[in-house]
C-alpha cells in the first residue's frame, strides 16, 4: 500500500493566536512530517470589521492582525487554504462599504493577501458555500465551515459528504449512514479562546477547544483516516497518548 500523511489546522485568528497551541502544532508537524499541510481558514480575525464591533475593537486597527496571520503562514507553511468568514471581512468591505478610505484600505489588504498566497505557492479558495478543495488522493472535501449547532459535522456531511471543517472551534465527528460511508469532522482551533470575548454570552463556547487534526490517505483507494489532537485542561490528548 502507498500512504500519504497530512495535517490540518484552522482558526488561528491573526493576533489572537494561542502561543501554546502554535508550538504544539509546529512540534507535531515537525515530528509527523506530513506530505500535505492544510489550513481551513480564519487565518485572520479582523475584529474591527465585525458587525457590532465596539470602540475598543475598532481602536485596534488591522495591521497587527494582518502581520500575525502572515507569520502563521510562514510558520505553518500550508499547501492548501480555505478562507474563512473572518478572512472574508476584508473582501466584504472592499466590495460593499461606503467609506471610500476604508474600502480602498481593505482592497489593498485583499491584494496583499493574495500576493502572499502566490509567493508561498498556496492553493486557496474564497469563503463561498459552493467552493471547496479536495484532500489530494482522496474524496474528502476541505471547507472552512458554514454551520454550527449541536452536531456541526453531521450538518456539513449532509451538504458536502466526506469533509473536514473548522469554524466552530470544537472537535466533532459524524459517520455517514449510507452506502458510500465516509466521515465528516470539525476540528479545534489554534486561536486563544479566552481572547474571543465576543462569544462570552454563548454557551456553545463551553465546547470550544484548542486542537488540530492529522491523518493518512491510502493513495490507491482514496480511503482516509483522521485523528484529533485536542487540549483538555492542561493536557494535549491524541490517539498517541499525551503529547
Amino acid at each position: 500500500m502507498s500512504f500519504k500523511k497530512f495535517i490540518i489546522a484552522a482558526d488561528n485568528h491573526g493576533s489572537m493566536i494561542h502561543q501554546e497551541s502554535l508550538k504544539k502544532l509546529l512540534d507535531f508537524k515537525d515530528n509527523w512530517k506530513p506530505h500535505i499541510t492544510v489550513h481551513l481558514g480564519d487565518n485572520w480575525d479582523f475584529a474591527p470589521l465585525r458587525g457590532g464591533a465596539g470602540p475598543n475593537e475598532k481602536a485596534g486597527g488591522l495591521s497587527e492582525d494582518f502581520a500575525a496571520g502572515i507569520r502563521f503562514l510562514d510558520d505553518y507553511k500550508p499547501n492548501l487554504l480555505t478562507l474563512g468568514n473572518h478572512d472574508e471581512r476584508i473582501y466584504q468591505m472592499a466590495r460593499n462599504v461606503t467609506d471610500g478610505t476604508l474600502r480602498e484600505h481593505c482592497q489593498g489588504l485583499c491584494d496583499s493577501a493574495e500576493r502572499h498566497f502566490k509567493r508561498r505557492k498556496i492553493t486557496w479558495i474564497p469563503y463561498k458555500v459552493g467552493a471547496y478543495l479536495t484532500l489530494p488522493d482522496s474524496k474528502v472535501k476541505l471547507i472552512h465551515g458554514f454551520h454550527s449547532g449541536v452536531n456541526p459535522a453531521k450538518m456539513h456531511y449532509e451538504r458536502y459528504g466526506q469533509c473536514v471543517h473548522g469554524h466552530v472551534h470544537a472537535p466533532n465527528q459524524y459517520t455517514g449512514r449510507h452506502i458510500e460511508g465516509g466521515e465528516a469532522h470539525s476540528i479545534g482551533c489554534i486561536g486563544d479562546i479566552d481572547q474571543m470575548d465576543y462569544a462570552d454570552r454563548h454557551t456553545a463556547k463551553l465546547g470550544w477547544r484548542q486542537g488540530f487534526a492529522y491523518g493518512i490517505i491510502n493513495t490507491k483507494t482514496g480511503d482516509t483516516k483522521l485523528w484529533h489532537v485536542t487540549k483538555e485542561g492542561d493536557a494535549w490528548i491524541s490517539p498517541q497518548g499525551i503529547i
Side-chain angles (χ1 to χ4, degrees):
M1 292 184 182
S2 178
F3 291 93
K4 284 185 179 179
K5 298 189 288 187
F6 62 86
I7 190 168
I8 305 178
D11 298 290
N12 49 293
H13 286 269
S15 58
M16 290 188 181
I17 194 165
H18 187 248
Q19 292 299 327
E20 178 189 344
S21 299
L22 173 62
K23 185 177 187 307
K24 286 290 183 182
L25 173 66
L26 298 181
D27 287 348
F28 190 95
K29 181 183 177 184
D30 187 56
N31 290 324
W32 182 238
K33 294 179 172 53
H35 302 90
I36 305 157
T37 300
V38 180
H39 188 342
L40 295 181
D42 279 0
N43 187 54
W44 295 284
D45 193 78
F46 295 138
L49 304 181
R50 181 176 67 86
N56 290 338
E57 288 177 302
K58 292 181 179 180
L62 302 174
S63 298
E64 180 182 351
D65 192 71
F66 189 80
I70 297 302
R71 286 195 297 271
F72 182 76
L73 296 181
D74 286 335
D75 290 338
Y76 182 52
K77 297 179 175 58
N79 313 115
L80 305 174
L81 168 65
T82 67
L83 292 186
N85 54 303
H86 284 251
D87 307 320
E88 171 67 10
R89 287 172 175 172
I90 54 171
Y91 287 89
Q92 289 178 329
M93 291 292 176
R95 290 191 301 265
N96 302 324
V97 73
T98 57
D99 183 326
T101 301
L102 179 58
R103 183 175 65 248
E104 290 179 357
H105 180 51
C106 288
Q107 183 60 59
L109 290 176
C110 295
D111 295 341
S112 179
E114 292 179 18
R115 286 194 298 270
H116 281 292
F117 301 157
K118 184 176 181 180
R119 191 176 304 140
R120 290 158 179 78
K121 299 180 180 179
I122 299 171
T123 299
W124 67 281
I125 56 168
Y127 185 64
K128 296 181 179 179
V129 293
Y132 62 86
L133 296 173
T134 303
L135 191 65
D137 298 305
S138 80
K139 298 178 182 179
V140 177
K141 297 179 180 66
L142 303 169
I143 54 178
H144 173 68
F146 301 92
H147 304 284
S148 56
V150 175
N151 195 339
K154 179 180 180 182
M155 296 176 72
H156 285 87
Y157 185 92
E158 289 172 345
R159 292 155 178 83
Y160 294 94
Q162 296 184 64
C163 64
V164 186
H165 67 91
H167 185 56
V168 295
H169 304 169
N172 185 239
Q173 177 181 346
Y174 177 75
T175 301
R177 297 179 180 180
H178 58 69
I179 196 165
E180 293 185 3
E183 298 176 339
H185 294 262
S186 67
I187 66 173
C189 67
I190 303 298
D192 190 331
I193 293 170
D194 289 339
Q195 287 193 55
M196 300 177 192
D197 53 10
Y198 59 84
D200 280 352
R201 289 174 289 179
H202 300 279
T203 55
K205 189 176 182 181
L206 298 173
W208 290 9
R209 297 291 186 275
Q210 272 102 15
F212 53 92
Y214 69 104
I216 55 174
I217 307 162
N218 183 327
T219 59
K220 292 184 178 180
T221 65
D223 293 337
T224 303
K225 184 62 180 177
L226 179 146
W227 299 284
H228 292 263
V229 179
T230 306
K231 186 174 189 283
E232 294 288 352
D234 294 329
W236 283 83
I237 301 172
S238 82
Q240 302 176 22
I242 306 297
I243 65 171

